[in-house]
Amino acid sequence: MAAGRGGAAALRRAWRERRAALLEPRYTPLVAAYTEIDWKAYMEEVEGFANGTLDYTQLKGDTGPLVYPAGFVYIFLGLYYVTGRGTDIRLAQYLFAGLYLLNLLLVFRIYCRTNKVPPYVFFFMCCASYRIHSIFVLRLFNDPVAMAILFLAINLFLEERWSWGCFLFSLAVSVKMNILLFAPGLLFLLLQRFGLLGCIPKLCICALLQVVLGLPFLLVNPVGYLTRSFDLGRQFQFKWTVNWRFLPEEVFQNRAFHATLLLAHLAGLGLFALHRWHRSKESILALLKDPAERKHTSPPLTIVFVLFSSNFLGVCCSRSLHYQFYVWYFHTLPYLLWCTPTNKLAHMPKVLLLGVIELCWNTYPSTVCSSLSLHICHGLVLLQLWYGTAPPPAPHPPQPSRRPAAISKKAQ
């Protein structure tokens, strides 16, 4: 207890001496220390399940009720026991450091398959993001757990192992619901690859896993489980928003504003599906047919482009982005920026764009300038995705020559 009071006093003293905290070496332990955000709440939530509570509405932590699906409960229950009921935080940090390295390995496998991004960009992805390192190793959020499972699923999609990929995709959704931002792209890919009837078994895999994982809670209080773990109408606190700080709080909380963002998201998905993902000469409704029955074979789709752009559209239209949400799309940004043709002079603006996005996420608390800058950067990425991936114009058949044919002397 005395150590806790001493640490609090040191923090207050450092706040009063902000300049010294930045320049004086004696404050290094404060900067390097673990900064607890949600770990304690996670442990309290899964402890309720360990004690036999199956009513999802009764599982709570010091930050509020449990709002994640059942997969989160099982994974963090394992961490609860491994770390001595959540008390061995250093061991938890070691485990998350290993998760960070595994996540990088999975991301590099994806980038090796796409062969789009120049190698020097990976330095920025691995070494230059303080915020990402903090999310993984210091804050121990569930977001990187979900994203690591998602990247494993994408690796399986690239290997044409669609059933196992769908299984892991659903598992990632059960850890955190943001993975659903990839779902429109995945549905498009399944229809493109298998047709309507062929993709139904894959969708059943996704749905069945959700039922199996949630079954203990569904049997006790099905409405409570569904409304808590898949709460699409959840209200976010204005003080934590990174992307909408320039709006008045009453607009930020307004349901009409939320509906507008949803419509913008659906419109963006529709435009990309019709004009960027779908490259066949047939109507997009041809996706419902069996691939063998289609008249025109579609050009091979880039799985990574469809999934990453689907997620990015959702991020751009999110009702709120909190600091840990940066991991939702950080590792996809190099691909989104370099998947389009790039000449030598265009490399520097793209690197600059990465830097400005990183700066926006490292600004705490967010400001009007940082949130506006983030939207401008997102808009520029969207524009270069739209115009940089436009299908080439159809070649025109050669026009018949209007010059009269020469008449031979014999014919004359």
Side-chain angles (χ1 to χ4, degrees), residues 235 238 241 243-264 316-320 375:
Q235 287 281 11
F238 184 66
T241 187
N243 57 332
W244 296 114
R245 178 67 62 184
F246 59 90
L247 293 178
E249 184 171 358
E250 55 271 19
V251 175
F252 173 80
Q253 299 288 3
N254 192 286
R255 294 289 185 182
F257 174 62
H258 302 164
T260 303
L261 290 175
L262 177 60
L263 291 174
C316 291
C317 300
S318 291
R319 289 189 289 122
S320 184
H375 279 288

Side-chain angles (χ1 to χ4, degrees), residues 300-354:
L301 277 173
T302 304
I303 293 174
V304 178
F305 173 73
V306 174
L307 292 174
F308 283 9
S309 59
S310 172
N311 176 65
F312 186 68
L313 286 166
V315 169
C316 291
C317 300
S318 291
R319 289 189 289 122
S320 184
L321 294 175
H322 296 179
Y323 285 95
Q324 67 268 30
F325 298 177
Y326 190 22
V327 79
W328 292 5
Y329 75 121
F330 170 78
H331 293 99
T332 72
L333 283 172
Y335 178 84
L336 294 173
L337 284 169
W338 271 273
C339 69
T340 57
T342 305
N343 58 41
K344 292 182 179 180
L345 295 178
H347 282 276
M348 189 54 65
K350 293 186 177 185
V351 172
L352 181 61
L353 206 56
L354 281 179

